[in-house]
Amino acid sequence: MARQQTAVATGGGREIAPATGKLGVMLVGLGAVSTTFIAGVENVRRGRSLPIGSLSQMATIRLGKRTEKRAPKIKEFVALADLKDLVFAAWDPIPDDAYAAAVKAGVLDRHEHLDPIKDFLQSIKPLPAAFDQYYVKRLQGTNVKRGKTKRELAEQLREDMRNFRKSEGLDRLVVVWCASTEVFLTPGPAHQSLQSFEKAMDQNDQSIAPSMLYAYAALMENVPFANGAPNLTVDLPVMERLAEERHVPIGGKDFKTGQTMMKSVLAPAFKARMLGLSGWYSTNILGNRDGEVLDDPESFKTKEESKLGLLEHILQPDLYPELYGKVYHKVRINYYPPRGDNKEGWDNIDIFGWLGYPMQIKVDFLCRDSILAAPIVLDLALFFDLAARAGLSGIQEWLSFYFKSPQFAAGLYAEHDLFIQHTKLKNTLRWMMGEEQITHLGVEYYEYADR
Ligand SMILES: NC(=O)c1ccc[n+]([C@@H]2O[C@H](COP(=O)([O-])OP(=O)(O)OC[C@H]3O[C@@H](n4cnc5c(N)ncnc54)[C@H](O)[C@@H]3O)[C@@H](O)[C@H]2O)c1
């Protein structure tokens, strides 16, 4: 109660509608990431586990000067939906309920984290998906929508959203794309305006991928949309304009979890110390369904583009040609079933220092993909809902922290450095709440500041 009152009193910040009532979280895809997220939230709600990895649940935010010692938890500082108010739904072409899908994904321990909440998970059955194998070659699904045109499918998705709102008595809704990576596409004439997009849907144009139908449907229903995969989806002129016009927050692309997260930590460190880089070879072995989908060269190309982009942006070779002008950057993903969701990501990094002497760094990250992704889904659902209640629309650049290839406004470039993204996120929360920005200048703590 106190939490919401604090949040509504903006103290010069933005007016933020309270987080009252239920928040529906609609997930596109009910695979490893989605089920790990849903089962995780339910375990946390029942007091059986901690939401580790989630800023919205665990992080604090410093306010004012260091001497003030004010550092509330983020969820006490801004009005976020409470976990108990989240209601889940999902679409998937594979008809397994959330329990069966979670068991198949093999991420969470069945006895410890799935069986105790089996009834709850079994009650989440996937809605028929807008799916077309042309865009995800390695999947076959039976739980799919039928329609003569892509527009008809989009209308069915809109109806799903309205029905979910109504049947669960929801106050608000967000959509997060946690479905497979689609084949590589580039923006074309169909993606430029609402008129051309709707015409292309009517004509079943191949440049309209299923993910775009979900994005269009969400925006038409005024529902925020976050894209966890590297597909274009909301990263299109038509979607950006639609989001602005309808005052809906959007964002993507591709959850920043394992190897790329480490890259966005290490590369800024090299640049900060003016150490050179000659090569960065990254390879992964991964055996889950995502790995299988990415084994298809066309889906891999979409992922590859997303993983490759950040080094150049972080290192700025145009400004530092002697240090970063000739970087050989390679990324591989190898499907290797025995590992399941427990990916292994190797990085070999060739750097050079004083007078050009070479050095090497090896990183071997034995991570769990969906364990890293689940808290990101939670934070995105809660922060996109916050953005909507705070009247923010269009691209939410302050949430770049969560994405491998963050969307940005025309004329800008993406900010990839994890710690700049982190500062941006927290400063945006301070700005929303009318609190001072933290610049880390700090001269005010020293005597000479008065002279
Ligand atoms: N886990 C991570 O660390 C991580 C990081 C970044 C991005 N991602 C992306 O998140 C997505 C989900 O990963 P995952 O491990 O859960 O994969 P997964 O294969 O276990 O689950 C994806 C699900 O999406 C479904 N699907 C495919 N097309 C669909 C459509 N058109 N509509 C509805 N459902 C559809 C599939 O049937 C599948 O059940 C992938 O695109 C992956 O690349 C994951």
Side-chain angles (χ1 to χ4, degrees), residues 31 103 155 162 177 192 196 228 258 273 279 318 350 437:
V103 169
E155 289 305 324
R162 291 196 290 267
W177 175 276
Q192 300 307 315
S196 57
R273 291 283 186 196
D318 46 326
D350 284 291
Q437 296 292 292

Side-chain angles (χ1 to χ4, degrees), residues 28-34 91-94 129-131 136 139 177-181 210 214 228-230 254-255 257 288-290 294 303 341 369-370 373 404:
V28 191
L30 188 58
V33 171
S34 293
W91 294 272
D92 203 294
I94 299 170
F131 177 77
V136 185
L139 280 188
W177 175 276
C178 299
S180 314
T181 301
Y214 289 94
D254 209 4
F255 302 129
T257 49
N288 59 13
R289 195 190 291 142
D290 186 31
L294 293 172
K303 194 60 134 187
D341 199 69
D369 247 12
S370 304
K404 271 195 200 72

Side-chain angles (χ1 to χ4, degrees), residues 39-52 57-58 83 108 112-114 116-117:
V41 169
E42 185 61 7
N43 273 284
V44 171
R45 292 201 281 214
R46 294 192 192 188
R48 307 184 75 256
S49 309
L50 288 175
I52 294 173
Q57 303 305 299
M58 305 207 64
L83 295 194
L108 297 178
E112 193 174 348
H113 289 122
L114 300 180
I117 58 166

